[in-house]
Each structure stands twice: as C-alpha cells, then as structure tokens.
C-alpha cells in the first residue's frame, strides 16, 4: 500500500496582545508593517507584493537560507484575500511552492476579538500538504514564529 499523496490538517493558534484590534488589524493591512513582521525572517525576500482588499493577491517570493534543507531554493507563497471585516477578520486562501513543486494549499482565518486587556487573535489554518512539503507541524511552528514577530512589531 502506498502512502497518501496529501496530508490534511487543521490547527488553531490563539494569542493575546495588549493592543487594540485596530492596531493589530493595521499590522496586517499596512504594507510596511506587514513586510517587517510577516515577510522578513531568515529567508532572503526577493519580492513582497501585498494587495490588502477582498480579491487582492498577496505574494512573497524568497530564497531559503544557507543551513536550511534546501539552501538557495525559491519559496513562493501566493494568496488571495477571500474576506475582510475591518478590525475583526481576515481570510486568505493560498498556495506554497518550493522550487517548481506546489507543496501546499491553505485557508487561513485570522479573527481579532476585543478582550479586557487587549485583543485575542485566533488563527485557524486548514491545509492540504502535498509530497515534499514542510508538513503541518513545521507550518504551525512557522505561524508561532510569525506571531512572535507580530508581537515584537507591536511592542512600544
């Protein structure tokens, strides 16, 4: 029997930030802010083209760093924003390509909920991971890193 060609996974990450929903929403909507926390990191970013509107396409093209399993290989995240409710919700459908192989397709929902001491961010990631992909555990770890970086971006 052969292994399945697709692994399906859903994970939910919850974070509390001592900021307003408006400020956190701005970190997704403002291209300069989003580039700093979302498109930076260890990869060498070649292009970042945000288009924050329903139907807008957001694309990040980067190269994996030395020391990674695939140094110098192109990694492309290409998404289309499906829904925006200002200061409350963002939904994006995206694919990820490593070199010339599509490795995943995902639906990501970001919810911002006003709390007593700030905002609760809830990220629900629903993914289909194909052969040769990073898999759900590494993807979830990547989102945790992104939300750490978002917290640093929001810090005074």
């Amino acid at each position: 029997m052969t292994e399945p060609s697709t692994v399906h996974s859903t994970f939910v990450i919850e974070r509390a930030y001592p900021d307003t929903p408006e400020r956190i929403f701005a970190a997704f909507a403002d291209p300069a802010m989003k580039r700093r926390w979302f498109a930076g990191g260890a990869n060498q970013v070649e292009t970042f083209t945000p288009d924050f509107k329903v139907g807008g396409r957001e694309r990040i093209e980067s190269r994996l760093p030395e020391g990674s399993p695939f140094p110098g290989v192109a990694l492309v995240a290409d998404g289309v924003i499906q829904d925006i409710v200002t200061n409350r919700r963002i939904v994006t459908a995206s694919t990820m390509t490593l070199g010339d192989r599509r490795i995943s397709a995902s639906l990501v929902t970001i919810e911002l909920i006003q709390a007593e001491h700030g905002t609760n961010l809830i990220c629900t990631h629903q993914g289909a991971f194909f052969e040769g992909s990073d898999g759900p555990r590494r993807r979830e770890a990547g989102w945790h890193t992104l939300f750490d970086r978002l917290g640093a971006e929001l810090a005074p």
Side-chain angles (χ1 to χ4, degrees), residues 23-114:
R23 184 137 188 271
I24 297 168
F25 186 84
F28 285 86
D30 179 273
M33 285 181 76
K34 189 167 185 181
R35 182 180 179 98
R36 285 192 300 268
W37 71 269
F38 191 81
N43 295 353
Q44 176 187 350
V45 175
E46 295 179 344
T47 61
F48 174 60
T49 54
D51 186 14
F52 192 76
K53 63 183 181 191
V54 173
R57 182 177 176 195
E58 296 195 327
R59 184 176 175 92
I60 302 171
E61 298 177 22
S62 61
R63 297 256 170 217
L64 296 177
E66 292 299 321
S68 73
F70 305 99
V73 174
L75 181 67
V76 177
D78 196 7
V80 176
I81 298 175
Q82 303 297 311
D83 187 51
I84 297 172
V85 176
T86 303
N87 303 324
R88 295 203 48 217
R89 181 177 62 236
I90 304 160
V91 181
T92 305
S94 63
T95 59
M96 190 171 287
T97 305
L98 180 64
D100 61 355
R101 288 184 326 190
R102 172 94 21 103
I103 62 170
S104 67
S106 303
L107 182 69
V108 177
T109 303
I110 302 292
E111 296 174 274
L112 304 174
I113 301 168
Q114 180 74 54

Side-chain angles (χ1 to χ4, degrees), residues 1 4 9 13 28-29 32 40 50 57 70-71 87 92 98 111 115 121-123 142 145 149 153:
M1 175 184 237
S9 174
I13 299 171
F28 285 86
R57 182 177 176 195
F70 305 99
N87 303 324
T92 305
L98 180 64
E111 296 174 274
L121 180 150
I122 302 169
C123 171
T145 298
R149 292 173 52 128
E153 173 71 23

